[in-house]
Each structure stands twice: as C-alpha cells, then as structure tokens.
Amino acid sequence: MKKYDGLNQSMLERFATRPGRKELLPELSEKAQVALMCRMLIREGWDEHIAGHITYRLENGNILTNPWELAWGELTASDIVTLDPKGNVLDSDWNVTPAIGLHLQLHAMRPDVHVVIHNHPHWSGIWACMQKVPPVYDQASAYCGVELPLYDEYEGTFENEATSLSAVEALGDAKWALLANHGSLVVGKNLRQAHLRAITLEWRSKRAYEVELAGGGRPLSDEEVKKVSIADDNGFPFVWEAMARKELRLDPGLVD
C-alpha cells in the first residue's frame, strides 16, 4: 500500500506542496500497517482478549492477518501472518483463528473488499446483544451514513463454514453489520476506510447508548446525516495517520 493510499487526492496534493511540510508517517510495510490497525482499534473498544481478526488482501491476492495466539495490543509487524487465498499459512509458525473462513468467503465474494474486521467491541456489542440498531445522534456518528444491517440469525461461532457463509450472504454489499448476540463486522476497500468505519460504529453506539440512558434525544434525520457524513468514502483525512502516530509514540518497535 502506498504511504497515503486512499487519501483524498486534492487534499493530498495541497498537503504535498505545502512549504515546510513534515511527513505524516514514516514508510511502513504492509505488515506494519496491519499491526498498527490492531493497536489503533484496541483503543477504540475493539478489544475482547484474544478474540477478533483483521484481514488485509494484498494486490497479489495473498492475505495478511493477525495470529490467533496474540492479543491485538501485543502483536508487532513481525507477528502478522501471510495466507494464500485459500487460507494456507505461508510464512509463520503462528496459527490463525478457525473462524478465518468468514474473511476468506467475504474476500472471495466481494472484490471491492480488501479489509475485513470482526471482533466483539464494547459499545456496538451492547447494541448487538439488544438486537437493536443505534440511532445517529451527532455528526461523528454520521460519518459513514445511516444504514446498519442487523444480522439476527446467530447460530454459533464462525468456525462453521455454513454459518459464516450465511453471514456473508446476509451482509450483501453493506459496509458493516451488527451480529446479534455476537459482535460487529466491518469491511472496507483499504485500511483507512475500514478504520473510519470501525471507529465510527463504536462512537455511534457509545453516543446513542449514553443519550438514551440520559432520557433520549432526537436522532438526526437521514437528510441531516447525508449533509454531515464524510463525502470522500476513503475516510476522514489524516485521522489514520494521527492515530498511527499515537501508537508509534507509545511503542516504536511495533512496526519492526
């Protein structure tokens, strides 16, 4: 992935020509970017011990993923595992989750999807357990639009190929979903887009829970959401870099 893959082109050009500009991030390998994604999302509530998996499909069709044995908060770039499109491990002694089939099926059925994220996040997990979709109450909750499917045919964990396939089919062409009594699923065309969707889903869920706990409020209308959502579906400019820099300051060695 190029250093600023997915960034709004006109904004990138303005940034690149700005006198005295500083680099937003150092050059990062693709494995380093996946490790950063894990670290960044764990701080957003995507943290359920060693559960959860991220896959990132490369241009050659191979797939990078986090190892099963390590929590997202401890792994580094060197721990990221490379799989072939069928899920065979190519370069690691680590194992991968038995639920990797969900990701492989999504990548196979959705050519537009290069990143798949599944975990049992705190706030969106609450709404998944209530089997309700959180309303949109503020601008930050509206960044990725209104539609949020709820997949409510939970039949167990995703080790079962038929179960994971039914979830993939139910997702259709959606960008995210709540999995009733289970967790959340987010997809994207690149890491930046998937990151924005993951953090927006958790913010939306948290804010809606707090508003309703306080007695309720008036959700934004669909028209209002459209006005304040991110027009560039590549993501919120510079958020990926800012959150990545935060993790690099805390642990510079995570990209090694």
Side-chain angles (χ1 to χ4, degrees), residues 206-226:
K206 179 177 185 290
R207 182 53 53 92
Y209 186 83
E210 292 171 334
V211 169
E212 300 207 358
L213 190 65
R218 182 185 67 83
L220 298 180
S221 68
D222 290 0
E223 292 73 21
E224 290 171 319
V225 170
K226 290 178 182 178

Side-chain angles (χ1 to χ4, degrees), residues 230-248:
I230 301 298
D232 178 9
D233 66 0
N234 290 313
F236 199 120
F238 310 124
V239 169
W240 162 267
E241 286 84 3
M243 298 303 97
R245 289 195 302 272
K246 180 178 181 179
E247 296 305 323
L248 289 172

Side-chain angles (χ1 to χ4, degrees), residues 42-47 119-134 148 178 183-184 198-211 213:
I42 200 171
R43 296 188 187 280
E44 302 286 346
W46 292 72
D47 176 16
N119 208 323
H120 317 135
H122 181 84
W123 297 102
S124 55
I126 291 174
W127 288 91
C129 288
M130 293 192 298
Q131 297 194 21
K132 294 181 179 180
V133 175
L148 174 57
L178 295 179
S184 303
I199 66 176
T200 299
L201 177 58
E202 203 62 3
W203 176 273
R204 171 177 168 176
S205 300
K206 179 177 185 290
R207 182 53 53 92
Y209 186 83
E210 292 171 334
V211 169
L213 190 65

Side-chain angles (χ1 to χ4, degrees), residues 148-187:
L148 174 57
L150 173 64
Y151 175 66
D152 61 356
E153 298 179 10
Y154 181 44
E155 298 176 351
T157 56
F158 285 129
E159 290 90 337
N160 182 287
E161 185 175 346
T163 299
S164 59
L165 181 59
S166 65
V168 170
E169 292 171 341
L171 182 66
D173 61 357
K175 56 180 167 285
W176 52 14
L178 295 179
L179 309 176
N181 302 105
H182 188 161
S184 303
L185 181 68
V186 169
V187 302

Side-chain angles (χ1 to χ4, degrees), residues 51-97:
H53 13 99
I54 296 176
T55 52
Y56 174 38
R57 179 167 53 193
L58 305 175
E59 290 183 4
N60 65 6
N62 288 337
I63 295 169
L64 300 182
T65 191
N66 56 295
W68 191 17
E69 295 94 335
L70 301 179
W72 286 12
E74 66 176 322
L75 59 79
T76 66
S78 61
D79 298 314
I80 300 300
V81 181
T82 306
L83 309 175
D84 68 17
K86 294 184 178 180
N88 298 306
V89 176
L90 299 180
D91 64 354
S92 179
D93 292 328
W94 292 121
N95 294 301
V96 296
T97 173

